Amino acid sequence: MVAHLVRLKLTLLGNTLRRSVWHTIGLVVATLYGLSLVFLGVGAAVVGGRADPVLTGQFVTLVGSVVVLGWWVVPLFAYGLDATLDPLRFTTYAIPRRQLVAGLAAAALVSVPALVTSLAALGVSFAWASDPVALVAALAGAVLGVGLCVVGARASTALCAPLLESRRYREVLMVVAVIPLLAIGPFFAWLSSRTAARGEVTVGPDELVPSALAPAARVLAWTPFGAPWSIPAAVHDGAWGLAGARVAVAAGTLALLAVIWDRALARALVSPRGGAAAGTARGLGWFGRLPATPMGAVAARCATYWLRDPRYATSLAVVPLLPVVLVVVGVSSGSGAGLLVLVVPVVAFVLGFAVSNDVGYDNTAFALHVATGVPGRADRWGRMLPVLALGVPLVAALSVTSAGVAARWDLLPALLGGGLGVLGATLGTSSVASARLVYPVPRPGESPFRTPQGATVATLVAQMAAVAVIVALLLPTVGAGVAAAVTGAGAWWWATGVVGVATGGAAVVVGARWGARVYERRLPELLSQVKNFA
């Protein structure tokens, strides 16, 4: 049964690759990228093991802990990331549960992340090549570590499956997931500043990294995340009792996770999910009061996306966190709150670029536009109006706040005009791009962090082309800003604001008209594309 499930996973993967060239290209690119990371990581570990095995072991413990934690947590956010062998598809088959669990665990290794993790874990073990006994212990720890990754990921998703079935829970979870991701940068900035300060006072440069790394490695070695990676260090030091204790932690956690997965799978097979009644449609709410015109209808539907669709809500969740992130980074780096002025163009760009693939996000609902004959201008302006209604007041408020906090009121014209210029240039480009450069995105109800298989290259090419156009449109505004910064003349700050408003307004008008023509010319092709994405 285990071999049969592995062959089934390989067959499904092969059929997927034959169905689409983009799937094949995406898999090849992802594999090459993963193998390059493995090569760099293994090479660094082997060289470091010869130079300083103690420090290398501590670093491997820290990185390995992050990898195991990522395997456990990421599937909760990116649910549906790999559902080719969903256990519920085997509900009607009389497969013994133990065999099903073993088969699903083995099949889970047939993926790029699992392959990269396995190769990296085994390769890093050769950092202990100078000590044969420690090398054997490292290889055994690598097997335990990969098992914790795979089984832990399955156990966490199976245990949280009832919660993940609730759409409201998924929406809240996906928005909340943005907070720790944005906090990573400020945390490391603060940590580096604190470590640097400590290094200047108490320790020399050659002792700075070990002094900061050793305490974290000692703590993580007693957790399920770091225990398998710290076994060879204990063997190398001759601490056999300590090595046995870490083996017990890793093996015991693996056994516990297997039991949790087995029990959760048994519950799911007996009471399959998916039988709940569909939720009640809530309509357009307040947006239903917009004019009963094609443009008003499109604007009302797109406005609801920003409030109810987590794929758009994640963009809004970033907005209130950006000022906090920039202030923390500024304080940590010694530049104070000066970085806060960057929040205006960044927020404007995020809001405008969020609709650069609006047709792709529509999915099959785009058929309504085709069936009802929505004109191109009504479609383009209807999609832009919610962003303008939200973005213009927000850019104005952030400009005033940033200038006040930074005590640079002379920058207010440039901040306001430049922010509106970025918003207009990004929104105008997005209006054309969403009609011309459509690429696969997560389907409605899926995690916004999920990347459709094979869509990586198409997404990268489309977004790079759109960003290149936006940069070209912003060159006049950037040039005026550079002149203002060099000369310090207040007239140049005002010129920056005027140029930004002019180019942004022109980009919105031209983008709406050009996008409307492209939309009407490619209407059947757009519908065919989004249907293939479904």
Side-chain angles (χ1 to χ4, degrees), residues 148-208:
L148 285 172
C149 290
V150 174
V151 178
R154 297 293 176 173
S156 63
T157 52
L159 190 63
C160 297
L163 292 177
L164 293 175
E165 283 303 296
S166 170
R167 180 172 179 175
R168 178 56 56 192
Y169 170 82
R170 296 199 306 264
E171 293 173 356
V172 173
L173 183 65
M174 286 182 289
V175 174
V176 171
V178 179
I179 298 176
L181 293 178
L182 288 177
I184 292 176
F187 171 75
F188 279 106
W190 172 83
L191 184 62
S192 63
S193 64
R194 296 289 296 177
T195 305
R198 181 184 176 187
E200 293 173 2
V201 176
T202 60
V203 297
D206 56 336
E207 301 176 359
L208 185 58

Side-chain angles (χ1 to χ4, degrees), residues 288-307:
R289 302 177 184 178
L290 294 177
T293 60
M295 185 186 301
V298 175
R301 185 168 64 84
C302 292
T304 60
Y305 286 171
W306 288 95
L307 296 181

Side-chain angles (χ1 to χ4, degrees), residues 203-252:
V203 297
D206 56 336
E207 301 176 359
L208 185 58
V209 174
S211 64
L213 192 60
R218 282 197 298 267
V219 173
L220 291 172
W222 289 103
T223 66
F225 309 111
W229 318 108
S230 60
I231 296 172
V235 173
H236 177 75
D237 295 338
W240 292 100
L242 184 60
R246 292 173 179 175
V247 170
V249 171

Side-chain angles (χ1 to χ4, degrees), residues 319 322-324 326 339-348 398-399 402:
V319 172
L322 280 175
V324 178
L326 292 175
L339 286 178
L340 190 60
V341 298
L342 297 178
V343 74
V344 178
V346 172
V347 168
L398 290 175
S399 300
S402 300

